[in-house]
Amino acid sequence: MRTRRPALLGSTVVLAVAGALVAAPSANAVAAEPLCDHIPDSATPTVRPDDQGDAVRQVQCLVNNYSAYADWVEVDGDYGPATARGVYWVQTCNGTTGGADGIVGPSTWSRLYTPKPACAL
């Protein structure tokens, strides 16, 4: 029995290490693109300060994951001051139609999804 235990232990270690290598991402793995799916990509409802809901969550997610805005905006569905700062930044950086007014309309939605290269992550 003593000769079988080391062999069994050795094979168990090999399987454990192999499993860890398979489960671990490779050094060349590309990070998955963030998924902002609070509303359909084709939806562009007007979003204003003090609004709440999924459209606001979508704005917050897009500000965080697609723009080069330096601060993190909590994705809580509440369009408060932190969200407003992120939207103003996106509007100013991208030169959206209507200027930086904090209102997310068609021009801002467009730049949230496809920011100018200088404004993107």
Side-chain angles (χ1 to χ4, degrees):
M1 270 293 191
R2 290 181 189 245
T3 57
R4 293 182 133 211
R5 281 192 176 188
L8 180 60
L9 179 59
S11 63
T12 303
V13 169
V14 168
L15 289 174
V17 170
L21 291 175
V22 169
S26 71
N28 294 329
V30 177
E33 185 174 318
L35 183 61
C36 296
D37 63 355
H38 302 282
I39 62 172
D41 292 352
S42 60
T44 57
T46 301
V47 178
R48 294 179 169 82
D50 297 323
D51 281 355
Q52 295 180 341
D54 286 339
V56 175
R57 282 184 189 84
Q58 186 77 353
V59 169
Q60 294 165 331
C61 182
L62 293 169
V63 168
N64 288 338
N65 294 299
Y66 291 87
S67 77
Y69 181 60
D71 295 329
W72 188 258
V73 178
E74 185 175 353
V75 181
D76 60 3
D78 183 19
Y79 192 137
T83 302
R85 287 189 296 274
V87 169
Y88 285 126
W89 185 90
V90 167
Q91 291 174 328
T92 301
C93 186
N94 287 283
T96 57
T97 304
D101 59 3
I103 298 170
V104 181
S107 179
T108 303
W109 279 113
S110 176
R111 288 306 182 183
L112 282 167
Y113 283 105
T114 54
K116 290 181 179 178
C119 306
L121 285 178

